[in-house]
Amino acid sequence: MGTAMVPCAPLSRLFARLPSHHAWRHPAWVTLLVVLGLGLASCGEPRDPMLEVSGPTMGTFYSVKVARPPAELTAHALQQTVDTVLDEVIAEISTYDPTSELSRLNVNPTTDWVPLSPDLLTVIDEGQRISHLSGGAFDITVGPLVNLWGFGPEHRPDAVPDPAAIAAARERVGYEKLSLRADPPAIRKTRGDIYIDLSALGEGYGAARVATALEARGVTDYMVAIAGAIRVRGRNPKGTPWVIAIEEPTPGRRSVHRIIEISDGALSTSGDYRNFFEEGGQRYSHEIDPKTGRPVAQSLASVTVIDDDATRADGLATALMVMGEDEGPALAEAQLIPAYFIIREDEGFRVVVTPSFQRYLRE
Ligand code: FAD
């Protein structure tokens, strides 16, 4: 295939479509900007053809790049494919859409078995596996606490909740309060007021679903980014591995901390440095420890995980973030999880990298 010059306009298209709500404080939005910025860095150099589309989704943004696209795939068709898939995902797992399958399950007070779509079962099952792996640090039933602390769809005012309200919400939390059945797919709650929050998995799951749709259209070289959840395959337009930035975890600043090169796999970053509020000099972030009912209070600023599966990478990043700077790296090393931890120190940052992550780091 011959080379072509890539036009230098994707960011202006993206900015034209920015939603107006609080998405700017989304931690991974900045990561996406960095990813796009890297894509533009070599603008003007000869490259193989690339299609690129971007837009809003899930309260944040997506970017999809396809290198060496099949001849019949147009940018319009690519955008339609991506938007259709992401709308399907939202209709399945969003707690921000009151009509989604998950929202309907959350308001269903029954403790009998409830039929589930196979897709929703798959995501919930992944969440349950990560809960077991992390000893309950990760818990998709944490929703009542997420909402109480103002990080859910209710968008409550930024304030530390009353201890009695925290205790009441904690009563409703516990992944072991859910039972799953594969055939036919169904779920059972031991309490009618269990509320499932799949936000920690959803962007990764969306990226995985888009990747599957692209591959069904014959696409072999792509990068799908939904905020900080990224799925790549093949090579970029220059014929080299895709280049992704880990962001410096500093509130209010956008800078690259480290560069990763990856050809096939998924990468996800969770952090406490964008989606938080402060009260009395204390930072309260959206990563909630189900055991205390409170946002994690620690020095761990961000965790980046690489995995074959984008849903799992997304969930593991949150799990390791909640586990903290000691237990997180210990679990990642024991389980051979490629993970990159950035820990805040008095002066700057300290980094912990698991051996299996090293090979992705660009020198
Ligand atoms: P991650 O670290 O990946 O996840 C953190 C989130 O996981 C928290 O915000 C909380 O929801 C949950 N969580 C916290 N603690 C735990 C724990 N211990 N175990 C498990 N989970 C935990 N936002 C909007 O503002 N508007 C929208 O319309 C909107 N629609 C969405 C639709 C979908 C399908 C999804 C999945 C999310 C949507 N969001 C929306 C949410 C928004 O994008 C979230 O900020 C995002 O999903 C959280 O991802 P993250 O990368 O910021 O953090």
Side-chain angles (χ1 to χ4, degrees):
M1 193 179 285
T3 56
M5 303 296 282
V6 175
C8 302
L11 269 189
S12 57
R13 272 207 316 277
L14 182 65
F15 281 120
R17 303 186 59 176
L18 290 181
S20 56
H21 53 77
H22 78 295
W24 277 107
R25 78 176 196 183
H26 195 287
W29 163 228
V30 178
T31 307
L32 176 55
L33 270 183
V34 172
V35 168
L36 290 168
L38 288 173
L40 291 174
S42 52
C43 202
E45 285 178 15
R47 297 173 173 183
D48 280 341
M50 178 166 82
L51 288 179
E52 184 171 0
V53 296
S54 54
T57 188
M58 302 184 191
T60 179
F61 305 89
Y62 73 78
S63 162
V64 176
K65 298 180 181 188
V66 172
R68 293 167 289 282
E72 67 284 0
L73 185 64
T74 62
H76 179 69
L78 176 62
Q79 183 109 51
Q80 271 192 331
T81 300
V82 175
D83 285 340
T84 302
V85 170
L86 292 177
D87 286 350
E88 283 170 12
V89 169
I90 288 168
E92 288 165 10
I93 67 162
S94 178
T95 47
Y96 290 75
D97 174 357
T99 67
S100 75
E101 186 183 357
L102 180 60
S103 291
R104 284 181 278 120
L105 173 66
N106 279 339
V107 296
N108 186 340
T110 185
T111 52
D112 294 335
W113 286 101
V114 177
L116 283 188
S117 67
D119 286 337
L120 183 54
L121 179 74
T122 302
V123 187
I124 292 177
D125 188 43
E126 188 62 66
Q128 294 294 81
R129 286 169 197 270
I130 297 173
S131 292
H132 284 286
L133 186 73
S134 64
F138 184 91
D139 193 326
I140 57 171
T141 66
V142 78
L145 288 165
V146 173
N147 293 343
L148 184 66
W149 282 90
F151 297 112
E154 293 163 21
H155 295 303
R156 286 163 180 264
D158 294 343
V160 174
D162 179 68
I166 296 174
R170 276 189 65 204
E171 291 286 308
R172 298 167 59 193
V173 176
Y175 67 97
E176 68 289 346
K177 295 183 171 80
L178 297 176
S179 302
L180 298 180
R181 191 178 69 194
D183 192 15
I187 190 167
R188 191 163 69 181
K189 323 185 225 180
T190 57
R191 290 176 59 125
D193 59 357
I194 299 268
Y195 176 104
I196 297 172
D197 174 359
L198 297 175
S199 288
L201 300 157
E203 290 160 0
Y205 176 64
R209 285 278 298 268
V210 170
T212 302
L214 294 182
E215 289 176 20
R217 298 198 66 142
V219 173
T220 54
D221 300 83
Y222 58 79
M223 180 177 76
V224 178
I226 303 178
I230 296 169
R231 171 79 173 95
V232 301
R233 190 179 157 197
R235 303 254 150 178
N236 68 17
K238 291 155 107 183
T240 55
W242 294 95
V243 176
I244 295 165
I246 297 179
E247 187 190 17
E248 185 98 10
T250 309
R253 260 189 49 202
R254 292 176 189 142
S255 58
V256 173
H257 171 81
R258 198 68 204 257
I259 301 291
I260 289 168
E261 292 184 331
I262 178 168
S263 301
D264 196 358
L267 172 147
S268 195
T269 299
S270 288
D272 74 348
Y273 55 101
R274 296 274 177 236
N275 199 358
F276 66 90
F277 69 88
E278 285 180 331
E279 193 179 293
Q282 168 89 37
R283 179 184 300 186
Y284 298 97
S285 94
H286 67 144
E287 315 281 4
I288 309 287
D289 184 345
K291 295 190 175 76
T292 63
R294 302 173 66 84
V296 290
Q298 58 183 358
S299 311
L300 182 55
S302 82
V303 182
T304 299
V305 169
I306 293 176
D307 194 279
D308 293 342
D309 183 272
T311 313
R312 194 164 51 238
D314 204 6
L316 285 175
T318 304
L320 296 176
M321 189 68 209
V322 174
M323 292 181 80
E325 64 256 35
D326 297 322
E327 286 185 29
L331 181 76
E333 288 205 16
Q335 295 292 325
L336 306 179
I337 299 168
Y340 190 99
F341 299 81
I342 306 181
I343 298 151
R344 237 179 265 107
E345 302 235 288
D346 289 342
E347 299 284 331
F349 298 103
R350 178 167 62 89
V351 166
V352 177
V353 192
T354 63
S356 52
F357 198 97
Q358 292 281 358
R359 70 190 173 98
Y360 299 101
L361 292 172
R362 184 193 265 181
E363 290 309 317

